[in-house]
Amino acid sequence: AIRMTQSPSSFSASTGDRVTITCRASQDIRNSLAWYQQKPGKAPEFLIFAASTLQSGVPSRFSGSGSGTDFTLTISSLQSEDFATYYCQQYYSYPVTFGQGTKVEIK
Amino acid sequence: EVQVVESGGGLVQPGGSLRLSCVVSGFTFSDHYMDWLRQAPGEGLEWLGRSRNKANSYTTEYAASVKGRFTISRDDSKNSLYLQMNSLKAEDTAVYFCARVQLKLGPPVAYGMDVWGQGTTVTVSS
């Protein structure tokens, strides 16, 4: 199975900050990567697919980049509603696998 | 409105069985791949398996952790997806989610999961 590793596992940031989360795959997954946001007690929300394509309705402050093994999720200006846990997920091969998550907390 | 609703969770003893259901509305269920995922308390997301659509012969895929114990099935006439869980263990305790797979048609390309249910809680304990 392809292992997905996110960094950092958690960090604190302030509203308005530019934040970047990194996801690394244990092997080349081309651009077969998705990002999700999850708030406590809620189902995940689909943010990005194909590494950089924003899902319809997702604010443009979210962006994704990368290919191969290294990927990033960037939030250009953190808003209060963005404090959550973020997961990357590869769909290049079965089994589908997720990163362990990155929790973005309020500083 | 596109909606996915899971049900069937509850308390079950180790070694027992449980069947989860997922009913969808607002989209053509038969066109879509559907996934089951879970999230143990305080943990991350774990993909359990996939049901492909009729056009792809309803074939399934499973995670190694549940293969042979869990079975995914669907009934397109009822817009429903199912997860039969047997030989349950304490480590199967989790919130179980049903999710629609975003699919590019033509040669099918399955992207991520774009619509999720609210989840149903399964607790395996004596």
Side-chain angles (χ1 to χ4, degrees):
Chain A
I2 297 175
R3 180 175 175 82
M4 306 301 292
T5 304
Q6 290 180 231
S7 59
S9 294
S10 66
F11 66 96
S12 300
S14 300
T15 303
D17 285 352
R18 179 182 179 89
V19 302
T20 298
I21 298 168
T22 297
C23 177
R24 176 164 289 177
S26 61
Q27 66 186 72
D28 186 350
I29 60 169
R30 310 290 178 87
N31 70 336
S32 301
L33 187 99
W35 289 97
Y36 300 83
Q37 177 194 70
Q38 188 179 31
K39 296 179 180 178
K42 301 292 187 182
E45 293 193 4
F46 189 42
L47 297 177
I48 287 170
F49 64 97
S52 61
T53 303
L54 214 60
Q55 177 69 350
S56 176
V58 174
S60 59
R61 62 181 180 272
F62 291 91
S63 64
S65 65
S67 66
T69 60
D70 294 311
F71 302 87
T72 58
L73 172 70
T74 299
I75 308 172
S76 60
S77 179
L78 200 64
Q79 302 300 300
S80 58
E81 59 267 32
D82 301 336
F83 292 97
T85 299
Y86 293 85
Y87 293 93
C88 63
Q89 172 234 320
Q90 68 80 20
Y91 51 86
Y92 180 76
S93 68
Y94 293 104
V96 169
T97 48
F98 288 84
Q100 81 280 12
T102 296
K103 187 174 184 179
V104 180
E105 298 176 297
I106 300 172
K107 184 181 287 183
Chain B
E1 181 191 4
V2 174
Q3 206 167 13
V4 171
V5 179
E6 305 93 337
S7 62
L11 176 64
V12 61
Q13 291 190 336
S17 298
L18 204 60
R19 188 196 197 205
L20 305 183
S21 299
C22 166
V23 178
V24 313
S25 58
F27 64 94
T28 305
F29 178 70
S30 58
D31 286 345
H32 283 270
Y33 295 7
M34 297 292 297
D35 284 0
W36 284 103
L37 305 99
R38 69 184 178 186
Q39 188 166 36
E43 301 295 323
L45 298 165
E46 181 185 12
W47 178 84
L48 300 179
R50 174 166 292 170
S51 169
R52 295 186 180 88
N53 56 14
K54 180 179 181 180
N56 289 278
S57 305
Y58 298 125
T59 52
T60 53
E61 301 283 348
Y62 294 95
S65 59
V66 302
K67 192 170 186 179
R69 295 192 302 129
F70 291 8
T71 302
I72 297 173
S73 61
R74 62 193 291 163
D75 184 339
D76 287 356
S77 70
K78 296 182 179 178
N79 286 346
S80 293
L81 182 75
Y82 305 100
L83 181 67
Q84 176 67 43
M85 303 186 294
N86 298 331
S87 303
L88 283 162
K89 310 172 185 178
E91 51 264 43
D92 295 317
T93 294
V95 175
Y96 284 72
F97 295 101
C98 170
R100 185 180 79 174
V101 178
Q102 186 171 72
L103 196 63
K104 181 180 79 66
L105 299 178
V109 176
Y111 295 116
M113 302 89 179
D114 65 345
V115 181
W116 295 62
Q118 81 292 347
T120 187
T121 300
V122 173
T123 303
V124 184
S125 175
S126 56

